Amino acid sequence: MTLKGKKIGFGITASFCTIPEILEPMRGLIDLGADVYPVVSNDVLNFSSRFHDKDDFLASLREISGKEVISNTAEAEPMGPSKPMDIMVIAPATGNTIAKLANGIWDTAVLTAAKATLRNNRPVLLALFSNDSLSINGVNIMKLYNTKNIYFVPFGQDDPFKKPTSMTADLSKLTESILCALEGNQVQPSIISKG
């Protein structure tokens, strides 16, 4: 299987320190022939951080994808019935987004796009970036890990001694993870050593 012609929704949530790392993997998907639709959460749309300027980031998403950025639930909802995606990627997927997804809360464009994709029995791939992965959010991660049509980019502890509950995805495995999810498989190993 290839990514040529595949429609990929690409949801970006507010792990602000990770946001600058997302552009190259997105560009790589487009270079492989994928048709990428950027979707952002409310915080990504509205806030800059010490890691990025929101206006520059949104402009980069438009330039790379050749599309307008989807930023509200009304724009995201058609990704189910009238503009179906082959797969929805959420990268970075914050702890907040993971918790809402695990509990059926669809209050952002990214979550609505995920719901729309699941409605069509298509895969949602999560690239986890969360400081509470091994604490309060662990139950939500495991709930999603065992949910039909939800898959994970391999993830592991990023700084076990300074941030012992934090886990992050390995974005170098994004394309491989997408290809596996499109075939209905979780890429393995799914939990990795990042040290």
Side-chain angles (χ1 to χ4, degrees), residues 1-3 8 10 25 28-29 32 87 89 123 125-126 151-155 170-190 192:
M1 177 182 289
T2 70
L3 293 181
I8 300 176
F10 202 109
L29 298 175
L32 292 171
I87 187 170
V89 173
L125 178 68
L126 305 173
Y151 303 92
F152 284 84
V153 176
F155 60 94
D170 181 350
L171 291 175
S172 73
K173 300 186 181 299
L174 180 64
T175 300
E176 177 187 7
S177 300
I178 291 171
L179 290 169
C180 282
L182 285 167
E183 293 182 346
N185 297 312
Q186 169 63 52
V187 70
Q188 296 295 339
S190 54
I192 57 173

Side-chain angles (χ1 to χ4, degrees), residues 27-78:
R27 188 175 278 115
L29 298 175
I30 292 166
D31 290 346
L32 292 171
D35 191 16
V36 174
Y37 295 76
V39 185
V40 298
S41 69
N42 300 335
D43 285 349
V44 173
L45 178 67
N46 292 309
F47 298 108
S48 297
S49 75
R50 64 188 171 104
F51 302 100
H52 81 297
D53 176 84
K54 71 176 177 70
D55 295 325
D56 290 345
F57 180 70
L58 295 169
S60 294
L61 292 179
R62 290 185 199 97
E63 183 266 322
I64 291 167
S65 69
K67 296 180 181 59
E68 282 303 312
V69 175
I70 296 167
S71 61
N72 63 59
T73 56
E75 294 169 346
E77 193 274 336

Side-chain angles (χ1 to χ4, degrees), residues 98-183:
I98 295 285
K100 289 181 177 185
L101 184 60
N103 290 285
I105 299 170
W106 319 107
D107 63 350
T108 69
V110 173
L111 289 163
T112 299
K115 174 189 174 185
T117 303
L118 291 169
R119 166 186 174 176
N120 290 332
N121 205 29
R122 305 250 172 100
V124 170
L125 178 68
L126 305 173
L128 173 69
F129 284 81
S130 175
N131 287 328
D132 62 0
S133 299
L134 293 176
S135 59
I136 194 136
N137 225 349
V139 66
N140 295 315
I141 294 165
M142 289 303 106
K143 182 177 180 182
L144 291 174
Y145 193 88
N146 287 293
T147 299
K148 181 181 178 185
N149 290 326
I150 294 183
Y151 303 92
F152 284 84
V153 176
F155 60 94
Q157 285 180 284
D158 53 306
D159 191 346
F161 298 103
K162 291 182 182 173
K163 299 189 298 179
T165 63
S166 179
M167 298 183 91
T168 61
D170 181 350
L171 291 175
S172 73
K173 300 186 181 299
L174 180 64
T175 300
E176 177 187 7
S177 300
I178 291 171
L179 290 169
C180 282
L182 285 167
E183 293 182 346

